[in-house]
Amino acid sequence: MGFLSSNQSWDPVEILERMQYEQRKVFHTSFQNKCEGNILNLSANRYLWGNPKATCLRQFSWSEAFHIPLADISRMGSENRSLRSTIEAFVQTAATLAQSIAEILAENLGVKSKFFAKYCTPSTSYLRMNRYPPCPFSSEVYGLLPHTDSDFLTILYQDQIGGLQLMKDGRWVGVRPNNNPEALVINIGDLFQAFSNNIYRSVEHRVIAQQEIERFSVAYFFCPSYDAVIESFSKPAIYRKFSFREYKQQIQKDLLATGDKIGLSRFLV
């Protein structure tokens, strides 16, 4: 995909600042253009908002997002040159970080594997730009519903507004911005929980809606190719082995049938 050409001199702080500026600019275009105009020239259904299948307010996410397969970046035209180059710079940095963290976590399990280098590449991963608009009834809806991530790792960059919470010891704990605009949040996803045989746990998290101010974040989802087979590193295995394609298909089936992601419990031995 040719990540970073003339932008190799950008330092990490500049990349984060530019990412926040560019995503604000694209989100502040009209709702009609985002829904109908395919302003980024991405593959179908990459602009998301709310939850069209919600039957009550508590099932509705007060947010909008561009969920971008990184293979789609090359489709972005000259009118989006600045956003494209910024995304490429962010992705290169996030991909390198995710690869290093994944290998370290695997080594801590006693596993020296080339799995991540072979199957988890920028072309198999995703970028998601999120905006959480001010919500006049913020006590009644979530910015983002409670969920776990269907990947190995998530690299998250958030602004200083706050609202991200994670489940710890049976209660929700706020992940407060620490006044360091360069800080990143690293989440373990479902696939690492299966790979580690439950030694690492996928983090359930949610976003609280804000009443008076908008919030922005951008996430890099470190994913394998669809054909990659996820298998527990130790025996007896808690989960049967499965491909990433099978896992994603099961999630979609469950969402259509129940409105909820069931996740790893579908793959217990």
Side-chain angles (χ1 to χ4, degrees):
M1 290 168 55
F3 293 119
L4 282 185
S5 52
S6 61
N7 302 321
Q8 292 183 10
S9 61
W10 291 359
D11 64 41
V13 176
E14 184 178 4
I15 291 171
L16 296 177
E17 290 174 348
R18 291 181 67 98
M19 191 73 244
Q20 189 171 97
Y21 169 78
E22 292 292 341
Q23 71 176 129
R24 283 177 179 271
K25 189 167 63 174
V26 72
F27 275 121
H28 286 163
T29 58
S30 73
F31 180 70
Q32 183 175 3
N33 278 347
K34 288 179 287 191
C35 277
E36 302 173 6
N38 194 9
I39 55 175
L40 300 185
N41 195 36
L42 303 173
S43 52
N45 302 317
R46 294 304 171 187
Y47 174 69
L48 311 171
W49 62 273
N51 178 6
K53 298 182 177 65
T55 58
C56 64
L57 279 176
R58 292 308 277 179
Q59 292 181 345
F60 189 84
S61 292
W62 194 265
S63 58
E64 59 178 337
F66 287 96
H67 190 73
I68 306 172
L70 298 186
D72 268 15
I73 294 177
S74 61
R75 297 167 55 110
M76 297 171 68
S78 59
E79 67 275 14
N80 295 304
R81 185 181 295 111
S82 180
L83 174 62
R84 174 178 170 173
S85 63
T86 302
I87 288 176
E88 288 175 341
F90 181 88
V91 163
Q92 185 182 60
T93 303
T96 301
L97 177 61
Q99 191 76 231
S100 297
I101 293 173
E103 291 174 0
I104 290 169
L105 291 174
E107 287 177 7
N108 286 345
L109 300 172
V111 178
K112 289 191 175 181
S113 172
K114 296 182 179 178
F115 176 92
F116 300 106
K118 181 176 181 181
Y119 290 107
C120 301
T121 67
S123 63
T124 65
S125 296
Y126 295 82
L127 183 87
R128 184 178 175 115
M129 298 188 296
N130 302 297
R131 175 180 178 256
Y132 303 88
C135 179
F137 34 89
S138 57
S139 63
E140 300 178 55
V141 299
Y142 293 112
L144 194 62
L145 293 168
H147 67 286
T148 59
D149 291 340
S150 306
D151 59 1
F152 276 105
L153 294 169
T154 303
I155 311 294
L156 178 74
Y157 172 57
Q158 60 175 345
D159 62 19
Q160 296 292 299
I161 301 304
L164 176 64
Q165 296 182 335
L166 59 84
M167 178 64 71
K168 182 179 181 182
D169 300 327
R171 64 187 185 92
W172 289 105
V173 178
V175 183
R176 297 180 180 178
N178 61 0
N179 295 320
N180 180 358
E182 304 167 38
L184 300 173
V185 177
I186 314 296
N187 279 350
I188 298 287
D190 298 345
L191 303 187
F192 236 129
Q193 179 168 330
F195 179 85
S196 71
N197 222 17
N198 275 6
I199 292 177
Y200 300 135
R201 295 299 184 118
S202 188
V203 180
E204 185 179 12
H205 52 285
R206 67 184 186 183
V207 176
I208 301 301
Q210 303 286 338
Q211 187 167 11
E212 298 181 352
I213 192 167
E214 63 184 353
R215 175 182 182 269
F216 292 88
S217 68
V218 57
Y220 176 82
F221 297 104
F222 186 61
C223 299
S225 65
Y226 271 16
D227 293 330
V229 174
I230 315 303
E231 187 173 5
S232 298
F233 85 102
S234 63
K235 309 299 180 189
I238 297 171
Y239 307 98
R240 67 173 178 83
K241 63 181 180 180
F242 55 87
S243 70
F244 187 45
R245 174 180 284 105
E246 183 183 5
Y247 191 66
K248 296 284 282 186
Q249 289 173 342
Q250 185 63 57
I251 289 171
Q252 291 305 310
K253 288 179 183 177
D254 290 335
L255 287 172
L256 288 173
T258 70
D260 292 315
K261 171 187 168 181
I262 297 174
L264 283 176
S265 61
R266 287 289 197 193
F267 296 86
L268 291 168
V269 172

